Amino acid sequence: MPGILLTPAAESVSSATPPRAEPAGLRVSPWLEFLVVGGATLLLFPLSWALQRGFGADPVLLGAGFLTFHAAYVLNDPHFAVTYLLFYRDVRARALGREVPFAQRLRYWISGFVLPAALVTWAALALALHSAAALGWIVQLMFLLVGWHYVKQGFGVLSVLSARRGVSLRARERQLLLAHCFAAWAFAWANPSMPAGEFEEKGVVYWGVAHPRWLELMTGAVLAASTIALGALLLRNWRRERRALPLAPLASFLITIWSWTIYSRIDPMVQYLIPALHSLQYFYFVWLMQGNRALSEEGPPRFGRSASTRLAALALSAWALGWLLLRGLPALLDELLVPPVQRGGLPDALGTTPYFAAFFAVVNIHHYCMDHVIWRRENPETRFLRAAQ
């Protein structure tokens, strides 16, 4: 598949000075692209069924849990951290630059400064007051927003990869696709219905809100209606105009919505792997955007470092920051500030790792909101995701 080709700005060039050739964009096999943006899920289901049939469910799930626990160090944690590296680079220009639309600058201020200040204050007060209930509400907010984050990323995959193939989403298609995304998010959160009760996350025991049966049924009906409406529109476009969205991007979108979000529990081994698949999908677009930006700046007038060097530096920085935010710093604080449990005793509702729980929830929520700013069309950097066939 042709990669992204960077389009130079129009300029006046004398006949004595030939125009500089723009570097070709990053290129990748269409099959490999499909696998990294979600298609690998289709291979994991038969693999899981075969492994569980051959070795039994318990050993397979134990192995999957062990694998994903350690894979988080090189996939999940860096995927959170790289968002910080992208978001806060050139912070002055993004927050104050007049070339950025006002609405985008406002989003940047809210997601970059107001929201993290509020989240950190909330978590700090919960820890200072020794309130598992207050910390539990942050965890519940994280679980509420994770579905929004997944479906929005799925929509972005479809939008960007379709554009790379020369197909732009029409206004009506965008509306129905987004409606389907939000309906999926609502149903995934409401399903399954359950009463209020005690739950545990990262050692914190909190009282979770109820998911009533009527909410599950209502969101399920909305999801069904959005599915029918979207399917009818795509079918009508095909029958009347022979126009169809590209198959691979559409399949990646549906995998993200239905397999990773709505029915993520359908196979326990695949469920373990969904965060890694999501992170891999995310890294692909970071690689496209930052790699093509680096290629555009290798030659004159910038003569920047090579694209491979810059991408390697970004990867190492993301790994180090991810370890610091989600492993090193919270572990140090838990070790220094949380009293040890007396022999024969039980930890209280905050558990033995409340700082780990607080960092995990705050970083997750902040990541979701920073993403909402980074990947919008108003961000000038997203021009490096444009395709030329």
Side-chain angles (χ1 to χ4, degrees):
M1 176 186 65
I4 294 179
L5 300 178
L6 306 175
T7 305
E11 57 181 319
S12 175
V13 182
S14 69
S15 58
T17 307
R20 176 174 61 90
E22 290 292 324
L26 297 172
R27 300 176 184 274
V28 64
S29 159
W31 282 105
L32 178 59
E33 179 180 73
F34 177 61
L35 289 175
V36 299
V37 299
T41 311
L42 302 179
L43 303 179
L44 290 174
F45 280 112
L47 176 62
S48 173
W49 299 332
L51 289 174
Q52 291 185 59
R53 183 173 180 178
F55 299 98
D58 289 343
V60 171
L61 297 182
L62 182 63
F66 178 83
L67 174 65
T68 54
F69 175 82
H70 291 284
Y73 285 88
V74 294
L75 274 177
N76 301 58
D77 296 352
H79 119 274
F80 291 116
V82 77
T83 309
Y84 284 89
L85 300 176
L86 299 180
F87 189 90
Y88 288 105
R89 184 176 59 195
D90 302 327
V91 59
R92 182 180 179 86
R94 296 181 186 211
L96 303 175
R98 296 298 179 182
E99 67 278 5
V100 179
F102 173 76
Q104 180 71 357
R105 278 183 279 138
L106 182 61
R107 294 185 196 100
Y108 191 86
W109 274 95
I110 293 173
S111 293
F113 303 102
V114 177
L115 178 71
L119 288 173
V120 169
T121 301
W122 183 354
L125 286 174
L127 292 167
L129 298 174
H130 208 74
S131 173
L135 195 55
W137 279 110
I138 304 181
V139 172
Q140 292 186 78
L141 178 61
M142 176 187 71
F143 284 134
L144 171 65
L145 293 179
V146 66
W148 170 68
H149 174 62
Y150 269 50
V151 299
K152 287 282 287 181
Q153 183 165 306
F155 175 78
V157 169
L158 175 59
S159 180
V160 171
L161 295 188
S162 294
R164 283 171 59 81
R165 290 158 171 79
V167 178
S168 297
L169 299 180
R170 295 173 176 174
R172 184 61 174 165
E173 289 171 337
R174 288 181 60 87
Q175 292 168 0
L176 285 179
L177 285 164
L178 284 172
H180 187 60
C181 287
F182 295 137
W185 166 37
F187 179 72
W189 185 80
N191 174 59
S193 60
M194 63 181 69
E198 282 191 343
F199 296 88
E200 183 270 336
E201 181 64 29
K202 302 295 184 289
V204 177
V205 179
Y206 62 92
W207 190 261
V209 297
H211 294 198
R213 176 65 173 167
W214 64 263
L215 181 62
E216 181 184 19
L217 294 175
M218 184 180 70
T219 55
V222 173
L223 175 61
S226 74
T227 304
I228 294 170
L230 178 59
L233 176 67
L234 297 179
L235 180 61
R236 186 183 65 179
N237 287 349
W238 170 251
R239 293 182 64 180
R240 292 185 179 181
E241 307 173 30
R242 289 294 185 266
R243 181 185 186 275
L245 295 178
L247 181 58
L250 181 59
S252 300
F253 168 79
L254 295 174
I255 289 168
T256 303
I257 299 299
W258 287 89
S259 179
W260 297 1
T261 308
I262 299 174
Y263 293 117
S264 59
R265 305 178 189 90
I266 195 171
D267 183 282
M269 192 196 89
V270 177
Q271 184 180 10
Y272 272 118
L273 297 172
I274 287 174
L277 293 167
H278 165 81
S279 300
L280 188 62
Q281 184 187 73
Y282 186 82
F283 275 129
Y284 178 70
F285 291 93
V286 173
W287 176 76
L288 281 179
M289 186 168 73
Q290 297 307 307
N292 280 294
R293 173 178 176 168
L295 285 175
S296 73
E297 296 173 355
E298 280 185 343
R302 292 178 178 266
F303 294 103
R305 292 178 297 169
S306 69
S308 58
T309 300
R310 292 175 62 173
L311 288 173
L314 180 64
L316 289 173
S317 299
W319 176 83
L321 182 59
W323 180 87
L324 180 67
L325 288 176
L326 294 167
R327 309 289 171 174
L329 187 55
L332 177 63
L333 293 174
D334 282 325
E335 179 70 24
L336 294 177
L337 302 178
V338 179
V341 178
Q342 298 298 321
R343 176 174 292 183
L346 295 174
D348 61 17
L350 274 179
T352 58
T353 56
Y355 285 90
F356 174 51
F359 271 76
F360 185 79
V362 168
V363 169
N364 266 269
I365 296 170
H366 194 203
H367 165 73
Y368 307 155
C369 296
M370 288 189 294
D371 262 7
H372 184 61
V373 178
I374 290 174
W375 302 102
R376 296 185 69 90
R377 288 174 292 178
E378 293 87 347
N379 177 11
E381 275 195 292
T382 58
R383 70 185 186 273
F384 295 114
L385 294 173
R386 295 173 187 167
Q389 298 297 329

